mmCIF file with all atom_site columns, all heavy atoms in Angstrom:
data_model
loop_
_atom_site.group_PDB
_atom_site.id
_atom_site.type_symbol
_atom_site.label_atom_id
_atom_site.label_alt_id
_atom_site.label_comp_id
_atom_site.label_asym_id
_atom_site.label_entity_id
_atom_site.label_seq_id
_atom_site.pdbx_PDB_ins_code
_atom_site.Cartn_x
_atom_site.Cartn_y
_atom_site.Cartn_z
_atom_site.occupancy
_atom_site.B_iso_or_equiv
_atom_site.pdbx_formal_charge
_atom_site.auth_seq_id
_atom_site.auth_comp_id
_atom_site.auth_asym_id
_atom_site.auth_atom_id
_atom_site.pdbx_PDB_model_num
ATOM 1   N N   . PRO A 1 238 ? 42.859 -216.161 16.564 1.00 97.00 ? 238 PRO A N   1
ATOM 2   C CA  . PRO A 1 238 ? 43.332 -215.887 18.020 1.00 97.00 ? 238 PRO A CA  1
ATOM 3   C C   . PRO A 1 238 ? 43.235 -214.378 18.239 1.00 97.00 ? 238 PRO A C   1
ATOM 4   O O   . PRO A 1 238 ? 44.315 -213.667 18.260 1.00 97.00 ? 238 PRO A O   1
ATOM 5   C CB  . PRO A 1 238 ? 44.828 -216.314 17.897 1.00 97.00 ? 238 PRO A CB  1
ATOM 6   C CG  . PRO A 1 238 ? 45.213 -216.228 16.485 1.00 97.00 ? 238 PRO A CG  1
ATOM 7   C CD  . PRO A 1 238 ? 44.062 -216.359 15.626 1.00 97.00 ? 238 PRO A CD  1
ATOM 8   N N   . VAL A 1 239 ? 42.049 -214.018 18.512 1.00 97.00 ? 239 VAL A N   1
ATOM 9   C CA  . VAL A 1 239 ? 41.644 -212.623 18.530 1.00 97.00 ? 239 VAL A CA  1
ATOM 10  C C   . VAL A 1 239 ? 42.691 -211.680 19.323 1.00 97.00 ? 239 VAL A C   1
ATOM 11  O O   . VAL A 1 239 ? 43.205 -210.676 18.957 1.00 97.00 ? 239 VAL A O   1
ATOM 12  C CB  . VAL A 1 239 ? 40.166 -212.400 18.920 1.00 97.00 ? 239 VAL A CB  1
ATOM 13  C CG1 . VAL A 1 239 ? 39.845 -210.875 18.881 1.00 97.00 ? 239 VAL A CG1 1
ATOM 14  C CG2 . VAL A 1 239 ? 39.267 -213.224 18.200 1.00 97.00 ? 239 VAL A CG2 1
ATOM 15  N N   . SER A 1 240 ? 42.722 -212.102 20.653 1.00 97.00 ? 240 SER A N   1
ATOM 16  C CA  . SER A 1 240 ? 43.517 -211.225 21.550 1.00 97.00 ? 240 SER A CA  1
ATOM 17  C C   . SER A 1 240 ? 44.968 -211.234 21.132 1.00 97.00 ? 240 SER A C   1
ATOM 18  O O   . SER A 1 240 ? 45.612 -210.125 21.217 1.00 97.00 ? 240 SER A O   1
ATOM 19  C CB  . SER A 1 240 ? 43.345 -211.735 23.032 1.00 97.00 ? 240 SER A CB  1
ATOM 20  O OG  . SER A 1 240 ? 42.015 -211.704 23.380 1.00 97.00 ? 240 SER A OG  1
ATOM 21  N N   . LEU A 1 241 ? 45.566 -212.274 20.817 1.00 98.00 ? 241 LEU A N   1
ATOM 22  C CA  . LEU A 1 241 ? 46.906 -212.324 20.433 1.00 98.00 ? 241 LEU A CA  1
ATOM 23  C C   . LEU A 1 241 ? 47.175 -211.539 19.168 1.00 98.00 ? 241 LEU A C   1
ATOM 24  O O   . LEU A 1 241 ? 48.216 -210.794 19.012 1.00 98.00 ? 241 LEU A O   1
ATOM 25  C CB  . LEU A 1 241 ? 47.379 -213.716 20.188 1.00 98.00 ? 241 LEU A CB  1
ATOM 26  C CG  . LEU A 1 241 ? 47.589 -214.555 21.340 1.00 98.00 ? 241 LEU A CG  1
ATOM 27  C CD1 . LEU A 1 241 ? 47.885 -216.041 21.010 1.00 98.00 ? 241 LEU A CD1 1
ATOM 28  C CD2 . LEU A 1 241 ? 48.744 -213.997 22.227 1.00 98.00 ? 241 LEU A CD2 1
ATOM 29  N N   . LEU A 1 242 ? 46.187 -211.460 18.326 1.00 98.00 ? 242 LEU A N   1
ATOM 30  C CA  . LEU A 1 242 ? 46.334 -210.598 17.020 1.00 98.00 ? 242 LEU A CA  1
ATOM 31  C C   . LEU A 1 242 ? 46.242 -209.045 17.464 1.00 98.00 ? 242 LEU A C   1
ATOM 32  O O   . LEU A 1 242 ? 47.146 -208.372 17.014 1.00 98.00 ? 242 LEU A O   1
ATOM 33  C CB  . LEU A 1 242 ? 45.222 -210.756 16.038 1.00 98.00 ? 242 LEU A CB  1
ATOM 34  C CG  . LEU A 1 242 ? 45.248 -212.255 15.420 1.00 98.00 ? 242 LEU A CG  1
ATOM 35  C CD1 . LEU A 1 242 ? 43.894 -212.381 14.548 1.00 98.00 ? 242 LEU A CD1 1
ATOM 36  C CD2 . LEU A 1 242 ? 46.475 -212.383 14.520 1.00 98.00 ? 242 LEU A CD2 1
ATOM 37  N N   . PHE A 1 243 ? 45.460 -208.751 18.427 1.00 98.00 ? 243 PHE A N   1
ATOM 38  C CA  . PHE A 1 243 ? 45.486 -207.357 18.913 1.00 98.00 ? 243 PHE A CA  1
ATOM 39  C C   . PHE A 1 243 ? 46.783 -206.922 19.509 1.00 98.00 ? 243 PHE A C   1
ATOM 40  O O   . PHE A 1 243 ? 47.360 -205.968 19.220 1.00 98.00 ? 243 PHE A O   1
ATOM 41  C CB  . PHE A 1 243 ? 44.336 -207.123 20.049 1.00 98.00 ? 243 PHE A CB  1
ATOM 42  C CG  . PHE A 1 243 ? 43.037 -207.155 19.495 1.00 98.00 ? 243 PHE A CG  1
ATOM 43  C CD1 . PHE A 1 243 ? 41.948 -207.514 20.354 1.00 98.00 ? 243 PHE A CD1 1
ATOM 44  C CD2 . PHE A 1 243 ? 42.672 -206.738 18.252 1.00 98.00 ? 243 PHE A CD2 1
ATOM 45  C CE1 . PHE A 1 243 ? 40.674 -207.577 19.889 1.00 98.00 ? 243 PHE A CE1 1
ATOM 46  C CE2 . PHE A 1 243 ? 41.257 -206.726 17.787 1.00 98.00 ? 243 PHE A CE2 1
ATOM 47  C CZ  . PHE A 1 243 ? 40.307 -207.122 18.608 1.00 98.00 ? 243 PHE A CZ  1
ATOM 48  N N   . GLY A 1 244 ? 47.379 -207.981 20.376 1.00 98.00 ? 244 GLY A N   1
ATOM 49  C CA  . GLY A 1 244 ? 48.625 -207.707 21.040 1.00 98.00 ? 244 GLY A CA  1
ATOM 50  C C   . GLY A 1 244 ? 49.750 -207.573 19.992 1.00 98.00 ? 244 GLY A C   1
ATOM 51  O O   . GLY A 1 244 ? 50.589 -206.789 20.078 1.00 98.00 ? 244 GLY A O   1
ATOM 52  N N   . PHE A 1 245 ? 49.768 -208.513 19.031 1.00 98.00 ? 245 PHE A N   1
ATOM 53  C CA  . PHE A 1 245 ? 50.849 -208.492 18.013 1.00 98.00 ? 245 PHE A CA  1
ATOM 54  C C   . PHE A 1 245 ? 50.799 -207.311 17.175 1.00 98.00 ? 245 PHE A C   1
ATOM 55  O O   . PHE A 1 245 ? 51.813 -206.667 16.855 1.00 98.00 ? 245 PHE A O   1
ATOM 56  C CB  . PHE A 1 245 ? 50.680 -209.719 17.122 1.00 98.00 ? 245 PHE A CB  1
ATOM 57  C CG  . PHE A 1 245 ? 51.895 -209.861 16.194 1.00 98.00 ? 245 PHE A CG  1
ATOM 58  C CD1 . PHE A 1 245 ? 53.227 -209.866 16.551 1.00 98.00 ? 245 PHE A CD1 1
ATOM 59  C CD2 . PHE A 1 245 ? 51.588 -210.147 14.901 1.00 98.00 ? 245 PHE A CD2 1
ATOM 60  C CE1 . PHE A 1 245 ? 54.210 -209.887 15.696 1.00 98.00 ? 245 PHE A CE1 1
ATOM 61  C CE2 . PHE A 1 245 ? 52.617 -210.226 13.929 1.00 98.00 ? 245 PHE A CE2 1
ATOM 62  C CZ  . PHE A 1 245 ? 53.958 -210.079 14.252 1.00 98.00 ? 245 PHE A CZ  1
ATOM 63  N N   . GLN A 1 246 ? 49.551 -206.720 16.811 1.00 98.00 ? 246 GLN A N   1
ATOM 64  C CA  . GLN A 1 246 ? 49.437 -205.651 16.136 1.00 98.00 ? 246 GLN A CA  1
ATOM 65  C C   . GLN A 1 246 ? 50.105 -204.356 16.799 1.00 98.00 ? 246 GLN A C   1
ATOM 66  O O   . GLN A 1 246 ? 50.803 -203.527 16.306 1.00 98.00 ? 246 GLN A O   1
ATOM 67  C CB  . GLN A 1 246 ? 48.049 -205.325 15.784 1.00 98.00 ? 246 GLN A CB  1
ATOM 68  C CG  . GLN A 1 246 ? 47.765 -204.135 14.795 1.00 98.00 ? 246 GLN A CG  1
ATOM 69  C CD  . GLN A 1 246 ? 46.331 -203.728 14.650 1.00 98.00 ? 246 GLN A CD  1
ATOM 70  O OE1 . GLN A 1 246 ? 45.493 -203.912 15.530 1.00 98.00 ? 246 GLN A OE1 1
ATOM 71  N NE2 . GLN A 1 246 ? 45.978 -203.215 13.460 1.00 98.00 ? 246 GLN A NE2 1
ATOM 72  N N   . ALA A 1 247 ? 49.821 -204.341 18.136 1.00 98.00 ? 247 ALA A N   1
ATOM 73  C CA  . ALA A 1 247 ? 50.367 -203.262 18.918 1.00 98.00 ? 247 ALA A CA  1
ATOM 74  C C   . ALA A 1 247 ? 51.916 -203.403 19.036 1.00 98.00 ? 247 ALA A C   1
ATOM 75  O O   . ALA A 1 247 ? 52.624 -202.373 18.940 1.00 98.00 ? 247 ALA A O   1
ATOM 76  C CB  . ALA A 1 247 ? 49.871 -203.395 20.360 1.00 98.00 ? 247 ALA A CB  1
ATOM 77  N N   . ALA A 1 248 ? 52.453 -204.568 19.101 1.00 98.00 ? 248 ALA A N   1
ATOM 78  C CA  . ALA A 1 248 ? 53.865 -204.829 19.184 1.00 98.00 ? 248 ALA A CA  1
ATOM 79  C C   . ALA A 1 248 ? 54.470 -204.359 17.810 1.00 98.00 ? 248 ALA A C   1
ATOM 80  O O   . ALA A 1 248 ? 55.566 -203.656 17.826 1.00 98.00 ? 248 ALA A O   1
ATOM 81  C CB  . ALA A 1 248 ? 54.218 -206.259 19.383 1.00 98.00 ? 248 ALA A CB  1
ATOM 82  N N   . ILE A 1 249 ? 53.832 -204.667 16.632 1.00 98.00 ? 249 ILE A N   1
ATOM 83  C CA  . ILE A 1 249 ? 54.270 -204.162 15.374 1.00 98.00 ? 249 ILE A CA  1
ATOM 84  C C   . ILE A 1 249 ? 54.348 -202.732 15.288 1.00 98.00 ? 249 ILE A C   1
ATOM 85  O O   . ILE A 1 249 ? 55.317 -202.129 14.821 1.00 98.00 ? 249 ILE A O   1
ATOM 86  C CB  . ILE A 1 249 ? 53.454 -204.819 14.263 1.00 98.00 ? 249 ILE A CB  1
ATOM 87  C CG1 . ILE A 1 249 ? 53.671 -206.226 14.074 1.00 98.00 ? 249 ILE A CG1 1
ATOM 88  C CG2 . ILE A 1 249 ? 53.631 -204.004 12.928 1.00 98.00 ? 249 ILE A CG2 1
ATOM 89  C CD1 . ILE A 1 249 ? 52.570 -206.903 13.104 1.00 98.00 ? 249 ILE A CD1 1
ATOM 90  N N   . GLN A 1 250 ? 53.385 -202.061 15.943 1.00 98.00 ? 250 GLN A N   1
ATOM 91  C CA  . GLN A 1 250 ? 53.250 -200.658 15.889 1.00 98.00 ? 250 GLN A CA  1
ATOM 92  C C   . GLN A 1 250 ? 54.498 -200.034 16.633 1.00 98.00 ? 250 GLN A C   1
ATOM 93  O O   . GLN A 1 250 ? 54.967 -199.047 16.217 1.00 98.00 ? 250 GLN A O   1
ATOM 94  C CB  . GLN A 1 250 ? 51.933 -200.187 16.504 1.00 98.00 ? 250 GLN A CB  1
ATOM 95  C CG  . GLN A 1 250 ? 51.586 -198.704 16.257 1.00 98.00 ? 250 GLN A CG  1
ATOM 96  C CD  . GLN A 1 250 ? 51.720 -198.290 14.758 1.00 98.00 ? 250 GLN A CD  1
ATOM 97  O OE1 . GLN A 1 250 ? 51.427 -199.065 13.875 1.00 98.00 ? 250 GLN A OE1 1
ATOM 98  N NE2 . GLN A 1 250 ? 52.124 -197.095 14.581 1.00 98.00 ? 250 GLN A NE2 1
ATOM 99  N N   . LEU A 1 251 ? 54.812 -200.631 17.808 1.00 98.00 ? 251 LEU A N   1
ATOM 100 C CA  . LEU A 1 251 ? 55.883 -200.136 18.535 1.00 98.00 ? 251 LEU A CA  1
ATOM 101 C C   . LEU A 1 251 ? 57.220 -200.309 17.747 1.00 98.00 ? 251 LEU A C   1
ATOM 102 O O   . LEU A 1 251 ? 58.028 -199.330 17.799 1.00 98.00 ? 251 LEU A O   1
ATOM 103 C CB  . LEU A 1 251 ? 56.124 -200.939 19.902 1.00 98.00 ? 251 LEU A CB  1
ATOM 104 C CG  . LEU A 1 251 ? 55.111 -200.724 20.977 1.00 98.00 ? 251 LEU A CG  1
ATOM 105 C CD1 . LEU A 1 251 ? 55.333 -201.774 22.139 1.00 98.00 ? 251 LEU A CD1 1
ATOM 106 C CD2 . LEU A 1 251 ? 55.091 -199.323 21.442 1.00 98.00 ? 251 LEU A CD2 1
ATOM 107 N N   . ILE A 1 252 ? 57.420 -201.319 17.088 1.00 98.00 ? 252 ILE A N   1
ATOM 108 C CA  . ILE A 1 252 ? 58.599 -201.489 16.226 1.00 98.00 ? 252 ILE A CA  1
ATOM 109 C C   . ILE A 1 252 ? 58.515 -200.529 15.096 1.00 98.00 ? 252 ILE A C   1
ATOM 110 O O   . ILE A 1 252 ? 59.623 -199.862 14.818 1.00 98.00 ? 252 ILE A O   1
ATOM 111 C CB  . ILE A 1 252 ? 58.644 -202.890 15.612 1.00 98.00 ? 252 ILE A CB  1
ATOM 112 C CG1 . ILE A 1 252 ? 58.851 -203.902 16.811 1.00 98.00 ? 252 ILE A CG1 1
ATOM 113 C CG2 . ILE A 1 252 ? 59.763 -203.064 14.625 1.00 98.00 ? 252 ILE A CG2 1
ATOM 114 C CD1 . ILE A 1 252 ? 58.833 -205.437 16.428 1.00 98.00 ? 252 ILE A CD1 1
ATOM 115 N N   . ARG A 1 253 ? 57.400 -200.204 14.475 1.00 98.00 ? 253 ARG A N   1
ATOM 116 C CA  . ARG A 1 253 ? 57.429 -199.289 13.456 1.00 98.00 ? 253 ARG A CA  1
ATOM 117 C C   . ARG A 1 253 ? 57.798 -197.810 13.921 1.00 98.00 ? 253 ARG A C   1
ATOM 118 O O   . ARG A 1 253 ? 58.366 -197.037 13.363 1.00 98.00 ? 253 ARG A O   1
ATOM 119 C CB  . ARG A 1 253 ? 55.941 -199.194 12.885 1.00 98.00 ? 253 ARG A CB  1
ATOM 120 C CG  . ARG A 1 253 ? 55.682 -200.286 11.889 1.00 98.00 ? 253 ARG A CG  1
ATOM 121 C CD  . ARG A 1 253 ? 54.255 -200.285 11.270 1.00 98.00 ? 253 ARG A CD  1
ATOM 122 N NE  . ARG A 1 253 ? 53.950 -201.246 10.363 1.00 98.00 ? 253 ARG A NE  1
ATOM 123 C CZ  . ARG A 1 253 ? 52.742 -201.787 10.352 1.00 98.00 ? 253 ARG A CZ  1
ATOM 124 N NH1 . ARG A 1 253 ? 51.650 -201.458 11.085 1.00 98.00 ? 253 ARG A NH1 1
ATOM 125 N NH2 . ARG A 1 253 ? 52.518 -202.815 9.476  1.00 98.00 ? 253 ARG A NH2 1
ATOM 126 N N   . GLU A 1 254 ? 57.194 -197.575 15.162 1.00 97.00 ? 254 GLU A N   1
ATOM 127 C CA  . GLU A 1 254 ? 57.428 -196.251 15.680 1.00 97.00 ? 254 GLU A CA  1
ATOM 128 C C   . GLU A 1 254 ? 58.998 -196.050 15.960 1.00 97.00 ? 254 GLU A C   1
ATOM 129 O O   . GLU A 1 254 ? 59.477 -194.962 15.754 1.00 97.00 ? 254 GLU A O   1
ATOM 130 C CB  . GLU A 1 254 ? 56.655 -196.034 16.964 1.00 97.00 ? 254 GLU A CB  1
ATOM 131 C CG  . GLU A 1 254 ? 55.160 -195.615 16.627 1.00 97.00 ? 254 GLU A CG  1
ATOM 132 C CD  . GLU A 1 254 ? 54.287 -195.760 17.904 1.00 97.00 ? 254 GLU A CD  1
ATOM 133 O OE1 . GLU A 1 254 ? 54.931 -195.823 19.060 1.00 97.00 ? 254 GLU A OE1 1
ATOM 134 O OE2 . GLU A 1 254 ? 53.017 -195.818 17.723 1.00 97.00 ? 254 GLU A OE2 1
#
Side-chain angles (χ1 to χ4, degrees):
V239 182
S240 300
L241 286 171
L242 292 173
F243 288 154
F245 183 51
Q246 186 186 32
I249 288 169
Q250 193 51 35
L251 287 176
I252 293 172
R253 284 181 179 142
E254 283 168 14

